[in-house]
Amino acid sequence: GDLDKVVTLLLSLSGRLARVEAALGSLGPHAPAEDKLALREKRRLLVAQLEDAKELKEHVGRREEAVGAMVARYLPAEHLQDYQHFVKMKSALIAEQRELEEKIKLGQEQLRCLRESL
């Protein structure tokens, strides 16, 4: 459960950071200084939050290793391999699910814009 939450947090923060950086990059040279300052501050906060989330993921990883060692004492080798595979795939599947949700959201937004332009 903690792994799900931490991976989701990391994906969310990195997505928000990417959007802020894109907004900063799209600001022209004549953009108001307040807008630039606000985006830079938001970027700074997101970078700090992302670093905190990475530390949290490391903590969850260490705890996962401890649980894995404990589980290894009680499971036969075949079941232990299944458990380890499950834990590895869970993070990858969460990331893939998030990516697909973002693509669906983008597609829906594009569809809405197309309908409005007609």
Side-chain angles (χ1 to χ4, degrees):
D2 289 345
L3 180 62
D4 289 349
K5 292 173 187 171
V6 170
V7 170
T8 301
L9 176 64
L10 282 167
L11 291 170
S12 175
L13 288 171
S14 60
R16 290 173 55 198
L17 181 59
R19 285 190 293 278
V20 168
E21 287 178 343
L24 267 171
S26 68
L27 286 179
H30 303 295
E34 305 87 42
D35 292 350
K36 289 180 183 179
L37 186 62
L39 284 173
R40 285 186 185 127
E41 178 62 17
K42 188 178 279 192
R43 182 187 179 284
R44 186 189 66 74
L45 290 173
L46 286 169
V47 166
Q49 289 175 342
L50 190 58
E51 288 303 314
D52 290 345
K54 286 178 183 178
E55 288 178 22
L56 188 59
K57 185 174 187 294
E58 289 174 10
H59 173 73
V60 169
R62 287 189 300 272
R63 201 171 74 206
E64 177 186 323
E65 288 176 16
V67 169
M70 209 178 320
V71 167
R73 288 187 286 211
Y74 297 102
L75 289 181
E78 181 181 308
H79 290 131
L80 180 61
Q81 287 177 341
D82 290 342
Y83 168 78
Q84 291 168 338
H85 178 73
F86 170 77
V87 171
K88 287 179 186 176
M89 290 304 298
K90 190 163 183 154
S91 293
L93 290 173
I94 292 168
E96 187 175 338
Q97 178 185 9
R98 179 71 180 224
E99 183 180 333
L100 290 172
E101 288 171 353
E102 300 246 345
K103 286 181 180 180
I104 289 169
K105 196 174 180 182
L106 176 63
Q108 290 172 338
E109 180 66 24
Q110 290 172 338
L111 184 59
R112 185 186 62 75
C113 289
L114 283 172
R115 285 185 179 145
E116 288 176 0
S117 69
L118 295 176

